[in-house]
Amino acid sequence: MRVLIISDIHANLTAFQAVLKDAEGDWEYVWCLGDVVGYGPDPNESVELLRSMPHLCLAGNHDWAALGRLDIRTFNPDARKAVNWTRDTLTPENLDYLDALPTTFVIGDYTLAHGSPREPVWEYILEPIIAALNFAHFETPFCLVGHTHQPVTYELMNEGGDTEAVMPVYRQERLLNGKRQIINPGSVGQPRDANPDAAYAILDVEANIFEHRRIAYDIPAVQARMRKVDMPERLVTRLEHGW
Ligand code: ZN
């Protein structure tokens, strides 16, 4: 089975649609690693598009924030404003959907989490040492995470726990064998690796073949919708810079 791997859509319907168009015909099922909403102008449309496809989805911290499940006083003021708007905008049906999302999922050779297997909703795996500590927290050969909005693969190099970060080579199939790995496909709706293009991946789950991809989308159209609902300007401009 070929799976479309997406994460951190963040209510950016235009980026989500661009990914689906680019990946058309290349997958039968969707694995979404969380943060469907938060920041962007299209929370209901994004949830509903995801719900219309055969998929599984994990809970992200912004999904929980929209549910009022966590204390957002630790969020910065811009993020807080976006959370409140998202919470007020989501329909009861879509809130129920987000409320039912699991925090981890194990399927075949893969463990899925939003942040990390150790702290599924919260932990950012931003460097090899953090990845190294997480290999003890899942049993499958491979783990897929989102949350940092940065595409990368962490490979366990030896039994001593040495771990290396491998940067993605886009549109090149890679066979996942030999080493345990924690893989991040990057973010659909708010990339933070200085590349504003939407990020996603395609995985053949039986053959263990993984492919990172990027695709450009109409950023000004999303920004116009964000300004219309009075989103903080910092959140609007960051999309064009990819941070
Ligand atoms: Zn996110």
Side-chain angles (χ1 to χ4, degrees):
M1 180 174 66
R2 296 241 289 168
V3 177
L4 175 68
I5 313 282
I6 51 176
S7 190
D8 298 278
I9 297 166
H10 281 293
N12 184 335
L13 181 68
T14 308
F16 191 11
Q17 288 171 329
V19 163
L20 293 178
K21 186 158 182 269
D22 189 56
E24 202 175 344
D26 293 344
W27 57 271
E28 292 96 49
Y29 204 84
V30 180
W31 293 355
C32 176
L33 306 175
D35 277 3
V36 183
V37 302
Y39 295 128
D42 319 301
N44 286 308
E45 295 82 352
S46 299
V47 171
E48 282 155 18
L49 181 54
L50 182 63
R51 290 174 67 186
S52 75
M53 303 184 291
H55 79 285
L56 64 83
C57 184
L58 301 173
N61 54 315
H62 282 263
D63 304 315
W64 277 18
L67 295 165
R69 265 200 207 170
L70 47 97
D71 186 352
I72 60 168
R73 281 177 299 183
T74 59
F75 281 42
N76 67 55
D78 288 346
R80 214 156 54 216
K81 188 172 180 189
V83 166
N84 287 330
W85 179 85
T86 300
R87 188 182 299 168
D88 294 343
T89 302
L90 279 164
T91 65
E93 292 76 19
N94 289 333
L95 284 167
D96 283 349
Y97 168 83
L98 295 176
D99 194 39
L101 298 178
T103 55
T104 55
F105 213 96
V106 179
I107 180 164
D109 284 343
Y110 297 85
T111 298
L112 280 52
H114 178 63
S116 77
R118 180 168 71 169
E119 280 285 343
V121 179
W122 290 110
E123 186 173 39
Y124 291 92
I125 303 182
L126 282 163
E127 48 194 319
I129 180 68
I130 304 299
L133 294 168
N134 266 282
F135 280 107
H137 292 265
F138 65 102
E139 289 173 5
T140 55
F142 312 114
C143 177
L144 302 174
V145 298
H147 196 38
T148 67
H149 300 207
Q150 296 176 2
V152 66
T153 298
Y154 294 102
E155 293 188 358
L156 183 61
M157 304 306 288
N158 53 45
E159 288 191 1
D162 292 328
T163 301
E164 282 184 3
V166 180
M167 290 303 123
V169 179
Y170 296 107
R171 310 234 173 221
Q172 189 171 300
E173 293 186 341
R174 188 165 63 88
L175 182 61
L176 309 178
N177 67 354
K179 300 188 188 88
R180 296 187 75 205
Q181 301 177 29
I182 299 173
I183 309 173
N184 191 323
S187 167
V188 171
Q190 195 200 73
R192 293 179 193 161
D193 61 341
N195 176 350
D197 293 352
Y200 73 99
I202 299 287
L203 170 68
D204 184 320
V205 294
E206 284 85 24
N208 291 332
I209 294 171
F210 192 94
E211 182 185 337
H212 285 283
R213 292 183 183 176
R214 300 302 283 260
I215 186 71
Y217 69 95
D218 188 352
I219 292 172
V222 182
Q223 292 175 318
R225 291 200 300 283
M226 290 176 80
R227 290 191 173 107
K228 217 166 156 184
V229 297
D230 203 24
M231 281 285 181
E233 191 59 24
R234 189 177 147 273
L235 296 182
V236 176
T237 52
R238 71 187 299 177
L239 292 181
E240 74 204 49
H241 302 294
W243 61 267

